[in-house]
Amino acid sequence: MKRLFRRCGLAPGALSLEKQAVVDQFRALLTAMRNPQPWTPGHAQDITVRVGPFLERAQPRPGDDHGPDLIAVALVHPDTPHAAAYLHGNQLGYTNKGWLRCETSAILGIWQPAYAMLTHAAANLPLPDDVGMAPAHYGVHVEARRSDNTGYTLLRLGPYTQTWLASRDADRLNTELEGRAATVIPGFTVTAKDALFHVSDHESYADPHDTDIVALLADAIAAVSA
């Protein structure tokens, strides 16, 4: 007895171009998950971090990616730097997070395009309010410099949540130093400036909130003048 089979669409084993692309993407993901590329501090490479059950692409802040325990990163749309990716990322809250403190233990490895399908963007979901990383914002550095521009950092304040807050305190300290900046420490000119908060060196910063920053400056000057 002969049995007749009806073929549906394609010959056995054949896939449409669309289905083949999905299979290839999934295979690439499996390969990437099994063989994550190790991340090395200080190389300014985009990394992969976990945000809840998702993976996200993160860009380390230049000069603040040397670890070893904490670095500063910004979460970005997986298709960065394309314009459409920026617009989509803006809709999903990527651009609203700013710089974040990322523990290096949370880094899966170097970003690989295959991870894109595991991001919030791929699911068209907004980033959660709590991504598991605290802000890594801005700071104020008080610098003591010689005429040849050599010197050292006298005091670090931070972090500040807004640039204008850091600029305000820098202006306040410069007003305090005005007229005597060149004589505060003999041979040095002392000035304050707003700067990025170096998250990997967070222990070297003094918390400026609910504190007399002028008194902190006086203590720092007294310590080096003693």
Side-chain angles (χ1 to χ4, degrees):
M1 181 176 178
K2 294 183 179 180
R3 294 183 179 180
L4 301 178
F5 294 91
R6 178 178 295 177
R7 292 181 178 180
C8 296
L10 299 171
L15 293 174
S16 67
L17 293 177
E18 292 80 5
K19 290 182 179 179
Q20 186 62 54
V22 172
V23 171
D24 291 344
Q25 186 181 26
F26 185 69
R27 286 174 175 168
L29 173 62
L30 289 179
T31 300
M33 294 297 292
R34 290 170 181 166
N35 302 288
Q37 298 179 22
W39 169 76
T40 302
H43 286 200
Q45 296 168 302
D46 285 6
I47 59 176
T48 306
V49 297
R50 295 190 181 278
V51 177
F54 294 84
L55 297 181
E56 292 295 341
R57 181 179 180 180
Q59 292 183 336
R61 184 161 63 192
D64 204 6
D65 63 341
H66 57 280
D69 300 318
L70 285 171
I71 64 172
V73 303
L75 298 178
V76 297
H77 191 281
D79 295 330
T80 298
H82 302 298
Y86 177 82
L87 293 174
H88 190 217
N90 188 52
Q91 294 171 351
L92 299 179
Y94 281 79
T95 57
N96 297 334
K97 297 301 180 184
W99 295 111
L100 301 168
R101 299 174 61 173
C102 177
E103 295 184 3
T104 54
S105 60
I107 299 174
L108 182 64
I110 297 173
W111 171 257
Q112 299 185 57
Y115 296 141
M117 64 187 299
L118 298 181
T119 63
H120 285 80
N124 204 32
L125 293 173
L127 288 174
D129 293 335
D130 181 6
V131 295
M133 290 180 276
H137 293 300
Y138 311 96
V140 171
H141 293 177
V142 180
E143 306 282 353
R145 295 291 171 187
R146 301 182 184 90
S147 57
D148 62 359
N149 203 36
T150 61
Y152 57 93
T153 301
L154 181 65
L155 176 67
R156 290 181 176 183
L157 300 173
Y160 294 86
T161 58
Q162 300 290 333
T163 54
W164 72 268
L165 292 173
S167 295
R168 179 200 63 186
D169 277 5
D171 290 343
R172 183 182 175 192
L173 293 178
N174 281 324
T175 298
E176 181 69 18
L177 292 165
E178 189 175 2
R180 62 187 188 95
T183 60
V184 171
I185 302 175
F188 292 83
T189 297
V190 181
T191 56
K193 62 181 181 179
D194 52 302
L196 291 176
F197 177 75
H198 295 168
V199 63
S200 56
D201 296 328
H202 63 95
E203 292 181 352
S204 68
Y205 284 79
D207 187 349
H209 304 289
D210 299 323
T211 303
D212 185 345
I213 61 171
V214 173
L216 290 176
L217 176 61
D219 290 343
I221 293 173
V224 299
S225 300

